[in-house]
Amino acid sequence: MSALNVFALCAFASLVWTAHELSKRPENLRTRAVRRLSALLLGVNVLKYALPPLMGGELVLPVEFSAAAYFTTPAILLFGPKRLRCWAAYAGLLAGSVYYSAMVLAGDAIYGAYPPSSVLLSLFCHGSLLVLGLIVAGTESFTRRETALLPLGVAVVAVRAALLRPWSGSRTLLIYELLDARILRSTLPAGNLSIALGVYYLTVGVMILLSARLYLAVNRASLRRGEEHLKALPV
């Protein structure tokens, strides 16, 4: 395991511990922490995407799922209605957990060639999403109807990315790798491709649906643990 993988593992453990500790704090302190982290995450990414074109560089729009979550998750937690907080936490958890899993398992292979500043900024942004998602999902109650709409949100992000492809920059982006099923198109002969693509997109759809059900189960389990913790506290 390389130094980057170990660093990501330590960072992930620290982030989970931080979210756990904040979730046990009184609501006013917890809300203040969520709002401050949301404002910081949103501000950093507004500067990240706005400054390059203002300084004569290329305009690149945030099309990746996680890049879109950099804006939607903190904006909803700061200004959005309560019914959207379910999506904000889900998007944060999904983006943060997938990114840190990739960093722990293959961080050096995937991100080793990136500048250290870029890697650290990405660790901070995804870590912020993870902490926000863990806190909100662990302390706020969501209904089955709210979680049933989560796959629709994923579909909206995918359609948006497809529409914004001309402004996505020249980098290879994971969301287009998944939307285009490039791994199948590059490995399978054309004669077998149509059936394989059908199975692929069906599998992706089922996994998204299952993630919404798992999210609801985790939300309810976290709330039960929180209630048990409160009952165990001395009066």
Side-chain angles (χ1 to χ4, degrees):
M1 183 176 279
S2 73
L4 182 56
N5 302 57
V6 173
F7 180 80
L9 179 60
C10 294
F12 177 76
S14 300
L15 291 166
V16 172
W17 178 84
T18 299
H20 176 70
E21 290 301 310
L22 287 173
S23 296
K24 296 189 296 184
R25 294 295 181 266
E27 184 177 358
N28 62 327
L29 297 179
R30 189 173 65 239
T31 299
R32 189 183 311 161
V34 167
R35 292 186 63 82
R36 288 180 177 178
L37 182 56
S38 296
L40 179 60
L41 177 61
L42 186 60
V44 164
N45 281 283
V46 167
L47 292 176
K48 174 184 174 181
Y49 285 93
L51 283 180
L54 291 176
M55 299 176 66
E58 181 186 9
L59 172 64
V60 177
L61 297 179
V63 296
E64 284 276 30
F65 185 92
S66 57
Y70 294 162
F71 294 90
T72 57
T73 291
I76 289 171
L77 296 180
L78 286 169
F79 315 112
K82 187 179 184 303
R83 66 179 181 274
L84 293 181
R85 293 175 72 88
C86 180
W87 166 258
Y90 171 81
L93 277 175
L94 185 59
S97 60
V98 169
Y99 175 83
Y100 269 89
S101 297
M103 285 292 289
V104 170
L105 295 174
D108 192 60
I110 300 174
Y111 302 102
Y114 283 65
S117 59
S118 177
V119 175
L120 289 174
L121 179 60
S122 187
L123 284 167
F124 163 74
C125 291
H126 287 88
S128 299
L129 287 175
L130 181 64
V131 169
L132 291 171
L134 286 171
I135 293 174
V136 175
T139 58
E140 299 183 19
S141 178
F142 303 127
T143 66
R144 188 178 299 275
R145 181 177 181 182
E146 286 173 325
T147 55
L149 294 176
L150 295 177
L152 178 60
V154 176
V156 169
V157 173
V159 171
R160 174 184 173 276
L163 295 175
L164 294 180
R165 193 186 288 251
W167 299 278
S168 62
S170 56
R171 300 167 299 156
T172 299
L173 298 178
L174 176 62
I175 194 165
Y176 294 130
E177 295 277 347
L178 296 175
L179 288 176
D180 298 340
R182 290 179 186 172
I183 189 170
L184 293 182
R185 296 180 188 276
S186 62
T187 56
L188 294 180
N192 299 332
L193 193 57
S194 58
I195 296 176
L197 286 175
V199 173
Y200 169 80
Y201 288 119
L202 178 62
T203 302
V204 171
V206 169
M207 290 177 64
I208 293 172
L209 292 172
L210 289 176
S211 73
R213 294 178 65 88
L214 177 62
Y215 176 72
L216 179 61
V218 170
N219 172 243
R220 292 180 173 176
S222 298
L223 292 177
R224 284 196 297 270
R225 285 198 300 271
E227 292 173 356
E228 292 170 359
H229 172 73
L230 289 175
K231 290 178 181 178
L233 292 176
V235 179

